Amino acid sequence: MMRRVLQGALVGALVVVASAHVGSPTVIMDGRAGPYPVRVVVRPPSVVPGLAQVVVRVQGEDVTAVSVRPVFWRTGTAGAPAADAATPVPGDRHTYTAQLWLMARGAYSVDVFVQGARGSGHLGVPVESVATGRLALSPALGAVLVVLGFALCAGFVTIIYKAAGESLDPVGAAPDPRRARRARFVALASLPVLALALFGGATWWNAVDRDYAERMYRPLVVRTTIVPRHGTPVLRLEVIDPQWRSGQVAPLMPDHGKLMHMALVGEGPSAAFAHLHPVPMDSNAVFETPVPPLPAGTYRVFADVVHETGFERTLVSTVTLPAPGARAYVPGDPDDAWIADTTTHYGAIFRMTDGATLTWLQPPVLAAGLDVSLRFRLAARDGKPIALDPYMGMAGHAMVVAADGSVFVHLHPMGTATTAAVQAFDIRDRGDTTAHGRLRLAGAAGMAMPASEPPGEVVFPFVFPKPGDYRIFVQVKSGGRIRTGVFDVAVPSTGADTR
């Protein structure tokens, strides 16, 4: 009963939560397939089994072929199907498209292979395969199926009638009245059998439908509270979902050296925000972190974790913070950062207290469903770029939040995928899947900060999932100091020139 109550409480949230991120199932990743820079966009199906749409953009004039294949976490590359050739897009020799069947629920890697004059290359893109919807039957197709069903039933009865009657009469002979009566009796007797078969089929179909509905992806149930600890408020996140408590989900592995990346986003027009890294207190079911000096109020909680299977997940909740006390705040992690600003709107330039600016170099065209590059530049008061330090192994981090909270995405310069998920598949295919310690070390290692961008600039590939108002929190590090910038944008449904 408790499980049903918890499930029912989150029915409304089911449609907006999609595994690793909230309301944004599309995976986008920038990387290199050998010598070829590529951008891969994967749009997973909402039903499983289902077809994932894959778009590969390759830089270089010497590319001769692109192919893709799905790799399920449990089978690895040894059990993966052969790669399918991607089709070049007419008029665009740098873009290829393909469709891949995702047959099971869980973590996948979409392997991209590129061949050309400079050799061959490979890039793995982590993707979560989860059922988030059900395909509706159109009224027209339903009517056609009903007509065909009646025709099949009539044909079945007719075959029985003919088989028990006329088929037994000699050729050319007059129908036997007694045989005709018996044929009518047999045909009538077949009706209950037919009805029973139809009832059994309907029962089986409804059972399959209920099983599918029960296995649809849903957010895990969590509880967030504020507890006093030595005079300092501590945020406590507890995963109370039966799946987590009963061990039905795989253990966690660190991403950028942290088991959890938590975002606190102030509700309403407030831009108060924190990026925290709670630590586990009780078998990875309870996490705690000191509360930064944020304004009192209600905050949305988004907590990203990665399982050792490579499956990425976002835990969602809300919490009410008290007013900051007089006691000095001591961060629970040196990479924790926050901003207590309550300004209601932000343009393309965010000014900081020391005069430095973080500027959003908006793309020329912006629209929902379009893959774009979100480019930001950090500069000093005199306009000169400020060199960026690695922030948890990356040039920067960004979090995109819809105004109504229906979308939350944690971005890296590589895209929406996490380095931990990429490395989980890589290590598994090297044959050391049982070495959980090695998985944990790999997750902590992170990825090297790319040096290809101009000084002071960081770029995040992204696809806005739907039109609407968004707020983007961008975090970079320079001179040992973590800087946070805030930007607002209204994303249209069709391409709009932002210049």
Side-chain angles (χ1 to χ4, degrees):
M1 175 62 72
M2 182 61 180
R3 181 186 181 110
R4 293 184 178 274
V5 170
L6 294 176
Q7 289 177 339
L10 289 167
V11 169
L14 180 62
V15 296
V16 298
V17 176
S19 63
H21 303 291
V22 179
S24 181
T26 299
V27 176
I28 182 171
M29 182 171 174
D30 281 356
R32 299 187 69 89
Y36 307 100
V38 298
R39 168 170 291 184
V40 183
V41 180
V42 182
R43 293 179 171 87
S46 61
V47 297
V48 180
L51 280 171
Q53 308 296 322
V54 183
V55 178
V56 182
R57 306 188 192 279
V58 188
Q59 297 182 26
E61 305 297 329
D62 56 348
V63 175
T64 58
V66 174
S67 58
V68 296
R69 71 175 177 183
V71 179
F72 189 50
W73 73 271
R74 183 172 291 146
T75 61
T77 55
D84 295 333
T87 304
V89 174
D92 186 353
R93 57 184 175 180
H94 299 292
T95 303
Y96 296 76
T97 63
Q99 292 183 324
L100 291 178
W101 278 101
L102 303 185
M103 302 301 297
R105 296 172 173 85
Y108 272 86
S109 174
V110 172
D111 282 1
V112 178
F113 301 93
V114 181
Q115 295 180 337
R118 287 175 286 168
S120 61
H122 160 260
L123 177 67
V125 181
V127 175
E128 282 71 53
S129 173
V130 293
T132 58
R134 302 159 78 183
L135 295 179
L137 182 66
S138 68
L141 179 58
V144 171
L145 292 177
V146 169
V147 172
L148 292 177
F150 275 114
L152 287 174
C153 291
F156 174 80
V157 175
T158 301
I159 291 173
I160 296 295
Y161 174 73
K162 296 296 184 180
E166 295 179 11
S167 68
L168 302 177
D169 291 331
V171 177
D176 186 340
R178 289 182 302 175
R179 188 173 287 122
R181 287 194 298 271
R182 185 177 64 182
R184 287 192 293 270
F185 174 78
V186 172
L188 289 174
S190 69
L191 292 178
V193 177
L194 178 61
L196 184 62
L198 292 175
F199 176 77
T203 302
W204 169 81
W205 179 263
N206 290 334
V208 171
D209 184 58
R210 286 194 301 270
D211 179 68
Y212 180 87
E214 290 177 358
R215 296 173 61 194
M216 286 176 61
Y217 181 85
R218 63 175 181 82
L220 295 181
V221 183
V222 300
R223 179 171 56 209
T224 49
T225 54
I226 301 297
V227 296
R229 191 70 50 80
H230 306 296
T232 300
V234 172
L235 190 153
R236 179 184 179 93
L237 184 147
E238 182 179 4
V239 186
I240 60 176
D241 195 282
Q243 287 189 36
W244 190 289
R245 288 289 186 175
S246 61
Q248 297 180 44
V249 297
L252 301 181
M253 64 180 295
D255 181 41
H256 305 295
K258 322 290 183 183
L259 280 181
M260 178 178 288
H261 294 261
M262 175 184 288
L264 298 182
V265 182
E267 287 191 345
S270 170
F273 164 83
H275 179 184
L276 309 175
H277 305 93
V279 295
M281 306 298 292
D282 175 25
S283 302
N284 291 346
V286 177
F287 295 79
E288 291 188 356
T289 180
V291 177
L294 297 173
T298 302
Y299 288 74
R300 296 186 177 99
V301 180
F302 303 98
D304 291 335
V305 294
V306 182
H307 297 278
E308 288 187 350
T309 60
F311 190 88
E312 306 166 57
R313 186 190 303 273
T314 298
L315 307 174
V316 182
S317 183
T318 60
V319 67
T320 300
L321 299 185
R327 188 182 182 91
Y329 167 68
V330 178
D333 187 281
D335 292 318
D336 287 355
W338 69 97
I339 180 172
D341 201 324
T342 57
T343 306
T344 58
H345 180 75
Y346 298 86
I349 301 177
F350 185 87
R351 301 188 181 278
M352 302 178 180
T353 54
D354 62 352
T357 59
L358 190 61
T359 302
W360 181 15
L361 308 176
Q362 294 191 13
V365 178
L366 192 64
L370 180 69
D371 62 286
V372 295
S373 296
L374 307 180
R375 182 180 294 271
F376 301 87
R377 177 189 298 150
L378 180 66
R381 187 190 301 269
D382 59 4
K384 294 182 179 180
I386 300 177
L388 301 180
D389 301 332
Y391 178 34
M392 290 183 289
M394 291 285 187
H397 294 253
M399 299 186 187
V400 182
V401 187
D404 60 0
S406 61
V407 175
F408 170 82
V409 180
H410 186 169
L411 285 175
H412 306 108
M414 65 185 292
T416 58
T418 65
T419 56
V422 174
Q423 291 165 336
F425 276 92
D426 180 59
I427 291 175
R428 184 174 294 109
D429 284 331
R430 292 206 302 267
D432 46 3
T433 58
T434 59
H436 288 175
R438 273 176 267 182
L439 279 171
R440 297 180 190 278
L441 289 175
M447 277 189 163
M449 178 176 165
S452 58
E453 301 300 338
E457 293 191 9
V458 59
V459 180
F460 305 96
F462 187 55
V463 177
F464 286 96
K466 64 178 183 177
D469 295 329
Y470 291 84
R471 176 160 285 172
I472 306 174
F473 299 93
V474 179
Q475 294 186 299
V476 294
K477 190 174 184 179
S478 64
R481 173 185 174 186
I482 302 171
R483 300 172 179 267
T484 302
V486 188
F487 304 88
D488 291 329
V489 62
V491 178
S493 57
T494 57
D497 196 329
T498 61
R499 291 172 294 187

